[in-house]
Amino acid sequence: MNSKTSASKGAKKWTLSAALSVCIVAVGCAPLGPDFQEPAVDWLASWQSDLYGNSQSQSVEALSQWWHRFNDPVLNQLMDEARQQSPSLKIAGLRILESRALHGVATGAQYPQVQQITAQGAYVGKKRGGGAYRDFTTSQAAFNIGWEMDFWGRFRRGVESADAAYFASLSNYRDVQVILASQVASLYYGIKTTMQRIEIAQNNLKLQQRSYDITEQLFKQGQDSELDLQQAKSQYLSTKATIPGLRLALQQQRNALSVLLNRAPNNLPELDSIDSTLPQLDSNTVAGIPAELMLRRPDVRTAAWQAAAQSAQVGLAEADLYPSLSLFGTVGWSGNDIDIVDDVLSFAAGPSLTWNIFNYGRIKNNVRVQDARLQQALEAYQASVLNAAREIDDAANRVAQTQASQKILDDALIAAERSLAIATRRYKEGYSDFQRVLDAQATTFRQSDRAVTNRGDHIAAVIGLYQALGGGWQKADIETIVGEQTRATLKNRTDWGDLLEAPLDYPPETGNTP
């Protein structure tokens, strides 16, 4: 009897030791799959050096509020409003909350996956033939626990993937900030440009109307031909016809800006007091911005974190090729109201192993699927860097070319205005016909419109360069990404725990992490 007891105790000790050994090995085993490293962009250093001369005079922080360089209080006010009310920015903030919750799901998978209480009761009634009816009740309850050990790093890779997905959502929020800043500024100065074009058209319309009135009077007095009258009328009506189209464009720009501010169409009282003056930007506005900043563009960061998240999925899929080692335990009780049957209290615990050895290639092919997706993500990252370089180069060249065109167009406008003055004087003195005046008026109107349009294009090019460099985002906190009203709505609807108050975790900026 004593020997059996001793053997039983030894078996229990061996089982406990084995379980502890499994735990230790599980903790120390390196996860399967590749450890992500951000791919190198080999061509960037030389391209950057040739184009920008490795200037380091500006940084990401210096670009975070680039619109302040325009010295326009109304634009600053619109930017602040857009950052608080923009629907796209609110959605990006809620995606951060979503990824935060998904990270909690992945983290929870590392702990005992089964923690379950079960209970049931039954009433049983029996009657055999003509015998008496007999009944009794029975009940049972149990607590079950199961813990799959992370021997192959399945759950650690899951957390790693969730981490990267969360950081990708933060980078995406920054990217939405960049796009939003560019859109607000572009629409604002687009509105001012269109206002100035309308003013030019109206001023030329008044000039052409006077010419039309003069030719009409002369024709009625028999001092001029109908040809001059019809030509003046045609030019007057042609200029007048451009104004409705410009007013339509102005209304569309105002509506688009209203939507960015989360307002009803054309609800922009801030614009009621502005004029059409456009800022004069010198060539040093965007000088000294290093091209290497493209690697810190939010959309490039997002692509890198998405690749990191997918890299962890490869290891997670590979873990399915190997056995799953678990510890299980259960405590149960069953009883009934039959006196001759005792209640039973039971306990069981031990290790278990599950291994899908015959999977007909499903698991291996899933690993291949995840690896192919990883390569796609890596290619997408390289493409994002290449696209960033293209956008920077296009924007920089657009800034240079529109600036070069402006000087030419301004000189052409001066010449056209001088030509109109001479043609008008010579016509009044009888030295030239009225057609020269009409031609000079048309040229002046055309050159005025082109000069203003190009000035607006130059401002848009500067804004585009700031966007291409990834400027316009600011580090946000939990109160910024989810407004007070939205947080109150979420709290009333669902138990969010501390996710709506806990500070945001930001990724490291050094090492091989994206």
Side-chain angles (χ1 to χ4, degrees), residues 162-283:
D163 273 337
Y166 167 72
F167 292 143
S169 70
L170 290 175
S171 296
N172 181 68
Y173 184 84
R174 293 175 176 179
D175 190 39
V176 175
Q177 285 184 310
V178 170
I179 295 172
L180 179 64
S182 175
Q183 289 176 333
V184 171
S186 295
L187 284 170
Y188 176 71
Y189 286 115
I191 288 171
K192 291 171 76 74
T193 300
T194 305
M195 289 172 60
Q196 195 168 141
R197 292 182 66 193
I198 291 174
E199 291 172 0
I200 290 172
Q202 290 174 333
N203 291 335
N204 278 272
L205 188 64
K206 292 178 182 179
L207 178 64
Q208 293 170 8
Q209 185 174 16
R210 287 197 297 269
S211 298
Y212 173 47
D213 292 340
I214 291 172
T215 56
E216 187 175 31
Q217 291 176 3
L218 292 175
F219 174 71
K220 289 179 179 179
Q221 296 171 2
Q223 299 181 23
D224 211 343
S225 66
E226 184 181 3
L227 177 61
D228 289 343
L229 171 63
Q230 297 301 330
Q231 287 177 331
K233 181 178 181 180
S234 174
Q235 183 163 281
Y236 165 74
L237 294 177
S238 177
T239 301
K240 188 176 183 178
T242 64
I243 295 178
L246 291 172
R247 286 176 174 163
L248 174 61
L250 179 63
Q251 188 63 43
Q252 290 174 336
Q253 290 168 330
R254 290 175 66 95
N255 289 344
L257 183 56
S258 297
V259 170
L260 292 180
L261 301 178
N262 200 22
R263 299 179 184 176
N266 202 31
N267 180 16
L268 293 168
E270 297 91 342
L271 302 187
D272 294 342
S273 59
I274 67 170
D275 56 31
S276 62
T277 304
L278 294 173
Q280 297 290 333
L281 303 179
D282 56 39
S283 58

Side-chain angles (χ1 to χ4, degrees), residues 359-437:
N359 59 79
Y360 305 102
R362 292 192 301 268
I363 298 177
K364 283 188 176 181
N365 279 296
N366 183 46
V367 174
R368 294 162 184 159
V369 167
Q370 302 304 325
D371 190 48
R373 289 176 179 174
L374 171 58
Q375 192 60 37
Q376 293 174 46
L378 294 174
E379 295 296 337
Y381 168 76
Q382 294 284 357
S384 70
V385 178
L386 196 60
N387 184 64
R390 178 189 64 81
E391 290 180 355
I392 290 174
D393 196 67
D394 287 350
N397 280 286
R398 186 184 175 196
V399 169
Q401 297 306 323
T402 51
Q403 186 174 22
S405 296
Q406 194 62 51
K407 180 65 171 63
I408 299 172
L409 290 172
D410 289 342
D411 291 343
L413 176 58
I414 293 173
E417 291 173 341
R418 176 64 178 160
S419 174
L420 176 59
I422 295 173
T424 301
R425 186 179 68 249
R426 288 177 62 84
Y427 172 70
K428 289 180 179 180
E429 295 173 352
Y431 290 109
S432 64
D433 58 15
F434 190 66
Q435 183 61 47
R436 301 290 295 272
V437 176

Side-chain angles (χ1 to χ4, degrees), residues 296-470:
R296 299 184 67 182
R297 269 182 35 154
D299 60 328
V300 175
R301 294 295 89 221
T302 300
W305 283 116
Q306 288 173 341
Q310 182 56 41
S311 175
Q313 291 293 320
V314 177
L316 198 150
E318 285 184 359
D320 290 336
L321 290 167
Y322 299 92
S324 170
L325 302 176
S326 303
L327 299 177
F328 72 91
T330 180
V331 178
W333 172 86
S334 61
N336 56 70
D337 60 0
I338 302 176
D339 295 336
I340 62 174
V341 179
D342 296 330
D343 294 347
V344 178
L345 179 65
S346 61
F347 170 80
S352 69
L353 182 146
T354 304
W355 193 357
N356 295 319
I357 57 175
F358 299 113
N359 59 79
Y360 305 102
R362 292 192 301 268
I363 298 177
K364 283 188 176 181
N365 279 296
N366 183 46
V367 174
R368 294 162 184 159
V369 167
Q370 302 304 325
D371 190 48
R373 289 176 179 174
L374 171 58
Q375 192 60 37
Q376 293 174 46
L378 294 174
E379 295 296 337
Y381 168 76
Q382 294 284 357
S384 70
V385 178
L386 196 60
N387 184 64
R390 178 189 64 81
E391 290 180 355
I392 290 174
D393 196 67
D394 287 350
N397 280 286
R398 186 184 175 196
V399 169
Q401 297 306 323
T402 51
Q403 186 174 22
S405 296
Q406 194 62 51
K407 180 65 171 63
I408 299 172
L409 290 172
D410 289 342
D411 291 343
L413 176 58
I414 293 173
E417 291 173 341
R418 176 64 178 160
S419 174
L420 176 59
I422 295 173
T424 301
R425 186 179 68 249
R426 288 177 62 84
Y427 172 70
K428 289 180 179 180
E429 295 173 352
Y431 290 109
S432 64
D433 58 15
F434 190 66
Q435 183 61 47
R436 301 290 295 272
V437 176
L438 293 177
D439 290 344
Q441 287 178 347
T443 301
T444 301
F445 173 50
R446 185 168 58 252
Q447 293 299 334
S448 299
D449 189 69
R450 287 183 64 190
V452 171
T453 299
N454 186 80
R455 188 170 289 111
D457 288 344
H458 179 64
I459 294 173
V462 173
I463 294 170
L465 181 55
Y466 282 127
Q467 179 184 359
L469 288 166

Side-chain angles (χ1 to χ4, degrees), residues 102-175:
L102 289 172
H103 182 271
V105 173
T107 302
Q110 297 180 103
Y111 301 99
Q113 294 83 20
V114 178
Q115 304 171 64
Q116 188 178 64
I117 295 177
T118 61
Q120 65 181 42
Y123 170 80
V124 181
K126 293 182 179 180
K127 183 178 181 180
R128 294 183 178 179
Y133 180 80
R134 302 180 61 186
D135 61 340
F136 63 92
T137 60
T138 180
S139 57
Q140 59 182 16
F143 173 69
N144 302 306
I145 185 169
W147 189 4
E148 179 183 344
M149 309 306 296
D150 197 13
F151 194 77
W152 311 110
R154 178 203 310 274
F155 303 121
R156 279 172 286 170
R157 288 300 190 193
V159 172
E160 180 184 329
S161 181
D163 273 337
Y166 167 72
F167 292 143
S169 70
L170 290 175
S171 296
N172 181 68
Y173 184 84
R174 293 175 176 179
D175 190 39

